[in-house]
Amino acid sequence: MSNKDPLWDLPVRLIHWSLLPLLFVQWLLAENSEAIQDHLSTHGIVFDAMLWHARFGFILLFLLLFR
């Protein structure tokens, strides 16, 4: 018995697969925020890693609540 209908539609798959990179970026920014900021500041780029950590956190929360 083979069913060709997809179990989940495209929006659900996109939400599920976007959670993984968001979680990775959250972890990366939290663990290495000072190193990232130091590296970018040597090139003249102002980057607030914890601000972006919070922004990605809100995106993650929105996707979880939307789902």
Side-chain angles (χ1 to χ4, degrees), residues 2-6 8 12 14-15 17-18 20 25 27-28 33 37 40 42 44 47 52 54 57-58 61-62 65 67:
S2 176
N3 189 358
K4 298 285 184 180
D5 293 333
W8 292 313
V12 173
L14 289 175
I15 288 173
W17 280 107
S18 65
L20 183 66
V25 169
W27 170 79
L28 186 70
S33 63
Q37 287 173 340
L40 291 176
T42 60
F47 181 76
W52 282 99
F58 284 125
L61 178 65
F62 172 76
L65 292 175
R67 175 64 179 111

Side-chain angles (χ1 to χ4, degrees), residues 33-45:
S33 63
E34 291 179 13
I36 293 170
Q37 287 173 340
D38 290 342
H39 176 71
L40 291 176
S41 67
T42 60
H43 298 290
I45 300 171

